[in-house]
C-alpha cells in the first residue's frame, strides 16, 4: 500500500512487561483486533495510536506505582514499534474508559440498559479524551494518510478529525452491536454520537442488523435519510456497510497440529475427563453480555434432566478477568463464584466434579489446546457483536469432529448456521442442545464443521481488513464525482454549442420535478403546451433521442406523451415504450405476488394518516403523503420504513424514498439500470441526464464519464451540474433548440 495507514484504537496492540532482568519489553497482544490489523501495522510507515495504560504494566517489586522514568521508557519502547501512546490521567481513564465507554455505551449497546449510567461527568471526560486522540492524530497527520478508527471508545473522533481535515480519508469500525432505535434513543447524547460517527467516510459493522439499526437511528434522531446505506453530507458521502470480522484461521489450525500441542492435548484430556467422559468448554472475558450464569444454570438443568451424564461430562469454565474497576463486573464475578460453588457442591461425586472453574487469562498455546481437547463448545452470549471464540474453536478443530453450540444473539451466527443454534434465554433449548451435541455421531459433526470451516478459511481477519480498506477507497473515489457546479449563462451556451456540434445525441429526462413542477394532486401534473412543444422540437433535431424516465405508471405517461416521437420508461424501469408500435414492453419478466403481503401494510398507513393515499402500479406500490401534516407524515415515514424493513429483503424488494412518496418495488428495478440501454450505446457523443430526486441518483451514478448529469434543485447529488428549478431546466433545454424564450 502506498498510503500511510494510521490505525486508532483504545489500546495499543503491544503489551509492555518487565523481563527477568528487570528490563522493559514489548510483545504483541493476543486477541482479534491485534491479529487482524497486525500485518497492516507491520507494513512500512503504518502507525497505531492508542492509550498506553500504565496500570497494565506490572509493577517493579516494592513499587506502588510506575515512576516517570519507567513511563518514559515504556513510551519510547512503544514508539520504536511505530505506536503513538496517548497519556491519560487516572481521572480521565476512569471517566472515559470505566465510565462512559464501559458503564454507559457497553451496557446500552448490549441490551442491558438497566446497567447503563447516564452521567454528565463521564460524558464530558469521554469528549475530552476523544479530543486528546484527535490532537495526537493532528500532530502526525499528513495529507493522503488513511485513518482507521476502531470501536465504541472513539465514536466522536471521526467528526472531530473531519472538522480539522475536511478531505481526510477516515474509516470507522464498530466491534460491538449497534442497538435498535428503541434502546439507542435512551442515550442523552445520541445526536452527538451519531454525528461523530458520520464524520467517517465509511462506517463498518459486523452484521446487517447493526447497519439497519444505525440507519434507522440516523433517520429518527438526526432526520438524515440514506440511499442504500449512504448519506449525502454537505459535499461528501458517508457509507454504512457490513464487514464481518474473521480470524487468522491457519494460526489456530497450525498450532494444534504441532507435536508439542498434541502432547498437551492428551495430557489435558487425561486430567479433565474421566474414563469415556466428555469435555465441554466455555471460555471468554468475564462479562455480563456473555451469559455465563445462564449457561451454568442450563448445564445444571441438563445434568438433572439427563442424570446418565453424571460423571461422564465436565464443563471447563474459563473466565478471563476484565474491567475489574467497573462495579457491575464485581457483582457478576461474585454470582459466578457462588453458582459454581453451589452446583459443584450439590452434584459432585467422590471422583468427579461437574465444573472445572478458572478465573485467569491463559497463553495462546494453552487456549488452542483446550479448544482442540474439548468435545463441545458452549458459546451462549446474551448479546455479542461478533464473537471470535466460536470461530477459533472451529479453526482448532480443522477437519475433525467437535460440536459448537452457538447463541443466536452472537453476530457470528449469521456465518455459522451449521452450529447448534440456541436462544440463550431459553434454558430448555440449551439443555436439549447439550444433549444433542454429546450424542451427535462423529460424521455429522465433521460434516457440519466442514461447511463452516470452509467459510472461515476464506473470510479471514486479513481479508476483513483489506475488504474494509478497499471499500473505503471506493467511497473516497465516488466522492470525487460529487461536486456540482451551477449552470450559468456561459455554461448553458457551451452545452448548447456541444449539442449542436455532436453527431448523435441522447437526452434522458425525469418528468416530475424536472420538466413539470410538483402539485398537491399528482394527476393534475399534465404537461402544458410549452412542454409538449419543447419535447417535440427536441425530438425533431437531427440524430437526437429524447427519453423520459419516470416513476409514473405507463397509462398516464402514454396518455400524456404518447403522441410524441420520444422514448419512455415507466415505473422506474419496468416498462419501455415502443414509439413505433405504440405499445409498452415489459423490460424483464417480473413477479408481483409480493404485493399481497405489502398492500395491507401500506393500506394501514393510508387509514392512519389523513391526506395520504396509495397508488398501485403493475410492479410497485406507492404511499403518497404530499398533502399530510408534516410532523405526522415524518413520523409515519419512519414507522412505515421500520415495518417494511423486516420483510423487504426476503421478498427481494427495496424501499425508495422519493419526493413525498415511499415506493416499494423490486430491488432490481431502478432508473440507472433502465438507462443502460442508452448508456451502453457508444455512438452517442452527447449525453444529457437530468433529474431532481433520489430516484434519479442511480442514473447519475450509472452515466458514462462524458455525460452531462444535471440535478434540478439544491440537494446533494452524484450529478456534476445543477440548475435551480424546473424553469431553469426548461430554459436549458430550449437553448438546445435555439429557443431561449421563458417556458412558463
Ligand atoms: C469484542 C466484541 C467481537 C480471550 N481470552 C483469552 C484470549 N482471548 C481472545 C480470544 C478472542 C478474543 O480474545 C475475544 O474475542 P471475542 O470476539 O470472543 O469477544 P470480546 O472480547 O468481547 O470482543 C466481540 C470482538 O470485539 C471483535 O470485533 O467479536 O463481539 O465483544 O480472540 O481468543 N486469548 C488468550 N488467552 C485468553 O485467556 N490467549
Amino acid at each position: 500500500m502506498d498510503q500511510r495507514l494510521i490505525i486508532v484504537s483504545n489500546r495499543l496492540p503491544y503489551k509492555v512487561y518487565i523481563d527477568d532482568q528487570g528490563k522493559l519489553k514489548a510483545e504483541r497482544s493476543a486477541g482479534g483486533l491485534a491479529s487482524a490489523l497486525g500485518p497492516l501495522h507491520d507494513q512500512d510507515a503504518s502507525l497505531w495510536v492508542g492509550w498506553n495504560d500504565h496500570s497494565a504494566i506490572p509493577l517493579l517489586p516494592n513499587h506502588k506505582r510506575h515512576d516517570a522514568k519507567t513511563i518514559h521508557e515504556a513510551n519510547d519502547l512503544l514508539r520504536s514499534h511505530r505506536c503513538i501512546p496517548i497519556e491519560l490521567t487516572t481521572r480521565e481513564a476512569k471517566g472515559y474508559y470505566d465510565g462512559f465507554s464501559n458503564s454507559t455505551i457497553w451496557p446500552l449497546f448490549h441490551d442491558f440498559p438497566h446497567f447503563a449510567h447516564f452521567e454528565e461527568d463521564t460524558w464530558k471526560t469521554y469528549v475530552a479524551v476523544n479530543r486528546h486522540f484527535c490532537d495526537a492524530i493532528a500532530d502526525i497527520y499528513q495529507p493522503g494518510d488513511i485513518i482507521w478508527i476502531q470501536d465504541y471508545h472513539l465514536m466522536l473522533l471521526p467528526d472531530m478529525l473531519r472538522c480539522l481535515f475536511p478531505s481526510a480519508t477516515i474509516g470507522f469500525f464498530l466491534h460491538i452491536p449497534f442497538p435498535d432505535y428503541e434502546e439507542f434513543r435512551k442515550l442523552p447524547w445520541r445526536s452527538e454520537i451519531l454525528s461523530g460517527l458520520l464524520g467517517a467516510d465509511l462506517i463498518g459493522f459486523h452484521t446487517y442488523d447493526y447497519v439497519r439499526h444505525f440507519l434507522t437511528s440516523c433517520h429518527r434522531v438526526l432526520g438524515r435519510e440514506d440511499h442504500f446505506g449512504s448519506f449525502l453530507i454537505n459535499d461528501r458521502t458517508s457509507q454504512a456497510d457490513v464487514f464481518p470480522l474473521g480470524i487468522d484461521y491457519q494460526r489456530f489450525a497450525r498450532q494444534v497440529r504441532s507435536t508439542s500441542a498434541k502432547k498437551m492435548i492428551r495430557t489435558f484430556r487425561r486430567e479433565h475427563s474421566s474414563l469415556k467422559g466428555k469435555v465441554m468448554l466455555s471460555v471468554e472475558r468475564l462479562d455480563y453480555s456473555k451469559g455465563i450464569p445462564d449457561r451454568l444454570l442450563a448445564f445444571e438443568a441438563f445434568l438433572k434432566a439427563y442424570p446418565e451424564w453424571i460423571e461422564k461430562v465436565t464443563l471447563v469454565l474459563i473466565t478471563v478477568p476484565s474491567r475489574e474497576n467497573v462495579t457491575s463486573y464485581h457483582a457478576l464475578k461474585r454470582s459466578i463464584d457462588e453458582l459454581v460453588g453451589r452446583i459443584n457442591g450439590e452434584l459432585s461425586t467422590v471422583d468427579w466434579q461437574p465444573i472445572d472453574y478458572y478465573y485467569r487469562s491463559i497463553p495462546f498455546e494453552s487456549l488452542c489446546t483446550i479448544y482442540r481437547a474439548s468435545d463441545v463448545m458452549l458459546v451462549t452470549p446474551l448479546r455479542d457483536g461478533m464473537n471470535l471464540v466460536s470461530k477459533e474453536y472451529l479453526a482448532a478443530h480443522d477437519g475433525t469432529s467437535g460440536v459448537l453450540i452457538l447463541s443466536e444473539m452472537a453476530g457470528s451466527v449469521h456465518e455459522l448456521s451449521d452450529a447448534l443454534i440456541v436462544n440463550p434465554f431459553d434454558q430448555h433449548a440449551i439443555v436439549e442442545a447439550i444433549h444433542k451435541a454429546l450424542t451427535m455421531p462423529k460424521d455429522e459433526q465433521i460434516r457440519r464443521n466442514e461447511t463452516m470451516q470452509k467459510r472461515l478459511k476464506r473470510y479471514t481477519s486479513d481479508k476483513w481488513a483489506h475488504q474494509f480498506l478497499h471499500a473505503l477507497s471506493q467511497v473516497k473515489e465516488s466522492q470525487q464525482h460529487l461536486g456540482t457546479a451551477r449552470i450559468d449563462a456561459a455554461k448553458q451556451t457551451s452545452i448548447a454549442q456541444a449539442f449542436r456540434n455532436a453527431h448523435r445525441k441522447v437526452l434522458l429526462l425525469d418528468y416530475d420535478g424536472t420538466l413539470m413542477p410538483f402539485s398537491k394532486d399528482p394527476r393534475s401534473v399534465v404537461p402544458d403546451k410549452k412542454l409538449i412543444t419543447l419535447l417535440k422540437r427536441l425530438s425533431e433535431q437531427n440524430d437526437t433521442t429524447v427519453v423520459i424516465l419516470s416513476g409514473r405508471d405507463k397509462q398516464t405517461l402514454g396518455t400524456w406523451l404518447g403522441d410524441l416521437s420520444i422514448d419512455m420508461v415507466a415505473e422506474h424501469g419496468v416498462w419501455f415504450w415502443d414509439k413505433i408500435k405504440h405499445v409498452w414492453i415489459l423490460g424483464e419478466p417480473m413477479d408481483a405476488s409480493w404485493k399481497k403481503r405489502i398492500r395491507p401494510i401500506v393500506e394501514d398507513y393510508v387509514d392512519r394518516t389523513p391526506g395520504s393515499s396509495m397508488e398501485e402500479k403493475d410492479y410497485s406500490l406507492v404511499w403518497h403523503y404530499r398533502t399530510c401534516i408534516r410532523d405526522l407524515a415524518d413520523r409515519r415515514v419512519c414507522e412505515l420504513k421500520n415495518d417494511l424493513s423486516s420483510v423487504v429483503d426476503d421478498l427481494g424488494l427495496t424501499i425508495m424514498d422519493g419526493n413525498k412518496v415511499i415506493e416499494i418495488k423490486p430491488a432490481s428495478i431502478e432508473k440507472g439500470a433502465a438507462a443502460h440501454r442508452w448508456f451502453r450505446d457508444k455512438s452517442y457523443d452527447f449525453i444529457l441526464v437530468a433529474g431532481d430526486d433520489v430516484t434519479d441518483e442511480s442514473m447519475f451514478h450509472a452515466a458514462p464519464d462524458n455525460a452531462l448529469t444535471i440535478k434540478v434543485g439544491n440537494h446533494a447529488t452524484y450529478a456534476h451540474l445543477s440548475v435551480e428549478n424546473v424553469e431553469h431546466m426548461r430554459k436549458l433545454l430550449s437553448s438546445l433548440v435555439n429557443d431561449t424564450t421563458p417556458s412558463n
Side-chain angles (χ1 to χ4, degrees):
M1 185 186 302
D2 311 316
Q3 287 166 299
R4 206 167 66 142
L5 175 67
I6 304 177
I7 302 165
V8 192
S9 66
N10 172 50
R11 306 256 184 180
L12 289 167
Y14 283 90
K15 237 176 27 206
V16 176
Y17 66 100
I18 298 169
D19 74 3
D20 300 343
Q21 274 88 46
K23 284 191 110 186
L24 280 179
K25 287 275 165 63
E27 71 172 5
R28 186 51 52 84
S29 320
L33 193 61
S35 69
L37 296 174
L40 285 169
H41 180 223
D42 286 341
Q43 285 176 5
D44 284 351
S46 290
L47 296 168
W48 196 313
V49 179
W51 169 33
N52 177 22
D53 179 9
H54 306 133
S55 66
I57 310 174
L59 285 168
L60 287 166
N62 307 325
H63 279 61
K64 284 220 170 93
R65 65 171 60 151
H66 297 293
D67 53 26
K69 186 169 158 281
T70 310
I71 292 170
H72 191 76
E73 269 178 36
N75 286 345
D76 280 349
L77 187 61
L78 289 166
R79 278 190 205 99
S80 71
H81 287 276
R82 272 186 283 110
C83 292
I84 312 291
I86 305 266
E87 292 295 324
L88 299 182
T89 63
T90 312
R91 209 195 125 262
E92 282 173 333
K94 203 166 156 24
Y96 146 81
Y97 183 69
D98 299 332
F100 196 75
S101 298
N102 288 329
S103 302
T104 306
I105 295 295
W106 180 273
L108 190 68
F109 281 37
H110 282 88
D111 291 346
F112 285 85
H114 47 290
F115 283 168
H117 298 276
F118 301 120
E119 288 167 13
E120 192 70 31
D121 255 17
T122 61
W123 159 249
K124 283 189 176 147
T125 315
Y126 183 82
V127 178
V129 171
N130 271 251
R131 178 65 60 199
H132 285 335
F133 273 77
C134 181
D135 294 344
I137 296 163
D139 284 346
I140 54 165
Y141 178 76
Q142 296 166 6
D145 285 348
I146 300 168
I147 306 172
W148 190 5
I149 304 160
Q150 309 291 325
D151 229 355
Y152 63 105
H153 318 87
L154 299 169
M155 291 192 283
L156 302 175
L157 187 55
D159 194 51
M160 287 179 175
L161 286 165
R162 176 68 57 206
C163 293
L164 291 183
F165 309 110
S167 58
T169 303
I170 305 174
F172 180 93
F173 190 86
L174 187 72
H175 290 262
I176 63 173
F178 195 94
D180 74 13
Y181 170 68
E182 294 302 322
E183 284 303 316
F184 183 70
R185 69 200 291 195
K186 294 176 184 147
L187 186 68
W189 307 279
R190 56 198 183 182
S191 314
E192 287 88 336
I193 294 291
L194 292 176
S195 303
L197 290 170
L198 287 174
D201 299 300
L202 178 63
I203 308 162
F205 298 87
H206 282 307
T207 75
Y208 182 65
D209 285 341
Y210 309 154
V211 173
R212 202 160 45 78
H213 293 161
F214 173 70
L215 298 178
T216 308
S217 288
C218 285
H219 186 203
R220 301 198 69 169
V221 175
L222 300 179
R224 286 200 179 276
E225 301 204 11
D226 71 289
H227 180 60
F228 298 113
S230 176
F231 293 94
L232 281 164
I233 300 170
N234 302 324
D235 55 353
R236 67 179 180 91
T237 47
S238 179
Q239 171 85 42
D241 215 337
V242 186
F243 301 89
L245 175 57
I247 54 165
D248 182 351
Y249 187 94
Q250 293 306 344
R251 185 164 172 249
F252 290 87
R254 240 189 347 254
Q255 170 63 29
V256 293
R257 278 199 294 265
S258 69
T259 322
S260 62
K262 284 182 179 153
K263 210 166 132 206
M264 277 164 80
I265 292 163
R266 277 196 300 274
T267 315
F268 179 88
R269 283 202 65 87
R270 238 192 343 267
E271 284 168 5
H272 289 85
S273 58
S274 48
L275 198 61
K276 283 200 273 164
K278 301 241 181 186
V279 177
M280 297 207 331
L281 176 64
S282 160
V283 51
E284 63 253 300
R285 284 186 306 101
L286 187 131
D287 196 296
Y288 46 81
S289 64
K290 305 287 183 186
I292 303 168
D294 306 66
R295 191 178 315 153
L296 290 172
L297 289 170
F299 182 58
E300 179 190 25
F302 164 77
L303 291 172
K304 288 184 175 162
Y306 294 96
E308 64 272 26
W309 282 95
I310 296 247
E311 293 190 333
K312 293 271 172 2
V313 61
T314 304
L315 173 65
V316 176
L317 174 71
I318 301 171
T319 60
V320 181
S322 175
R323 303 175 194 169
E324 287 168 301
N325 297 330
V326 180
T327 328
S328 45
Y329 289 69
H330 299 168
L332 177 68
K333 165 82 171 56
R334 223 176 310 117
S335 80
I336 293 172
D337 290 352
E338 282 168 15
L339 256 178
V340 172
R342 183 181 63 69
I343 297 170
N344 275 347
E346 276 179 27
L347 296 174
S348 291
T349 62
V350 180
D351 306 316
W352 168 85
Q353 71 173 19
I355 304 167
D356 241 339
Y357 175 37
Y358 304 87
Y359 177 61
R360 70 175 81 129
S361 165
I362 51 174
F364 174 72
E365 296 71 24
S366 314
L367 180 68
C368 293
T369 302
I370 299 172
Y371 279 150
R372 180 58 175 255
S374 306
D375 302 287
V376 178
M377 175 93 197
L378 260 177
V379 185
T380 56
L382 305 179
R383 196 85 178 116
D384 212 337
M386 170 51 74
N387 191 287
L388 298 179
V389 159
S390 52
K391 295 184 170 183
E392 293 166 1
Y393 176 77
L394 290 167
H397 283 256
D398 182 46
T400 68
S401 57
V403 184
L404 173 65
I405 298 178
L406 181 60
S407 158
E408 63 187 46
M409 308 298 170
S412 59
V413 77
H414 298 285
E415 298 165 83
L416 307 178
S417 51
D418 282 295
L420 294 182
I421 313 283
V422 291
N423 171 357
F425 296 94
D426 181 349
Q427 189 179 85
H428 177 71
I430 304 179
V431 167
E432 291 311 308
I434 294 175
H435 185 249
K436 185 164 179 189
L438 291 171
T439 53
M440 188 184 284
K442 281 246 156 72
D443 55 347
E444 182 181 344
Q445 298 182 23
I446 293 172
R447 199 167 6 95
R448 282 171 178 263
N449 290 350
E450 259 169 12
T451 327
M452 299 189 281
Q453 285 158 345
K454 204 167 147 202
R455 185 191 155 86
L456 294 177
K457 262 182 225 171
R458 272 158 47 90
Y459 290 91
T460 58
S461 46
D462 197 40
K463 188 150 189 169
W464 166 82
H466 281 97
Q467 278 187 342
F468 184 93
L469 291 175
H470 179 66
L472 179 58
S473 72
Q474 280 187 326
V475 173
K476 225 45 211 171
E477 203 188 303
S478 72
Q479 288 177 2
Q480 314 269 307
H481 309 294
L482 275 178
T484 61
R486 196 60 115 201
I487 298 178
D488 56 13
K491 184 73 188 165
Q492 181 167 310
T493 311
S494 79
I495 292 174
Q497 195 60 48
F499 180 79
R500 278 189 285 276
N501 292 343
H503 299 291
R504 276 198 84 217
K505 310 146 212 187
V506 61
L507 312 172
L508 295 126
L509 309 168
D510 166 51
Y511 182 78
D512 293 271
T514 300
L515 299 176
M516 284 296 291
F518 288 106
S519 155
K520 281 191 173 164
D521 178 6
R523 284 164 309 179
S524 70
V525 190
V526 184
D528 54 64
K529 270 207 189 109
K530 283 195 167 156
L531 178 60
I532 296 288
T533 311
L534 176 61
L535 291 174
K536 189 162 179 303
R537 291 199 60 194
L538 285 167
S539 64
E540 285 165 359
Q541 300 297 304
N542 283 344
D543 300 309
T544 303
T545 307
V546 178
V547 190
I548 300 290
L549 288 111
S550 171
R552 283 197 180 254
D553 65 78
K554 62 183 193 306
Q555 286 79 10
T556 308
L557 285 182
T559 312
W560 287 353
L561 303 168
D563 290 339
L564 295 167
S565 179
I566 58 171
D567 290 305
M568 288 190 282
V569 176
E571 289 191 31
H572 300 285
V574 174
W575 298 102
F576 292 78
W577 177 244
D578 182 331
K579 64 185 174 205
I580 312 288
K581 295 188 186 148
H582 278 222
V583 286
W584 286 100
I585 295 162
L586 197 57
E588 57 179 89
M590 239 170 323
D591 169 39
S593 58
W594 56 268
K595 284 204 220 161
K596 282 201 293 289
R597 270 203 54 205
I598 303 291
R599 196 182 293 111
I601 303 177
V602 180
E603 279 169 349
D604 179 47
Y605 277 81
V606 174
D607 292 343
R608 291 191 298 124
T609 321
S612 74
S613 60
M614 185 179 80
E615 180 189 357
E616 180 157 353
K617 302 186 203 168
D618 295 329
Y619 293 99
S620 72
L621 291 172
V622 194
W623 185 63
H624 289 263
Y625 60 91
R626 184 169 301 281
T627 53
C628 303
I629 300 165
R630 202 174 144 201
D631 283 355
L632 177 64
D634 285 350
R635 228 177 59 211
R636 290 286 191 260
V637 166
C638 301
E639 287 172 22
L640 177 59
K641 284 205 224 163
N642 263 352
D643 283 359
L644 292 171
S645 59
S646 53
V647 282
V648 289
D649 277 355
D650 292 345
L651 296 173
L653 304 172
T654 185
I655 305 171
M656 234 168 36
D657 213 339
N659 199 316
K660 305 291 178 198
V661 295
I662 295 287
E663 178 149 8
I664 305 107
K665 61 173 194 57
S668 59
I669 296 302
E670 52 162 23
K671 287 186 183 178
H676 264 292
R677 288 187 177 212
W678 293 275
F679 290 157
R680 68 173 167 241
D681 183 343
K682 298 285 176 254
S683 64
Y684 287 118
D685 53 354
F686 180 96
I687 304 170
L688 183 148
V689 188
D692 71 298
D693 83 5
V694 68
T695 64
D696 301 311
E697 293 294 324
S698 65
M699 281 201 289
F700 300 146
H701 214 260
D705 289 346
N706 61 337
L708 294 161
T709 47
I710 303 171
K711 174 87 170 178
V712 181
N714 298 318
H715 295 290
T717 175
Y718 290 107
H720 297 149
L721 300 164
S722 68
V723 291
E724 198 174 323
N725 52 30
V726 170
E727 192 186 339
H728 286 90
M729 188 63 221
R730 285 193 186 196
K731 268 190 193 153
L732 172 68
L733 293 173
S734 300
S735 75
L736 305 184
V737 286
N738 285 333
D739 179 1
T740 46
T741 46
S743 50
N744 283 321

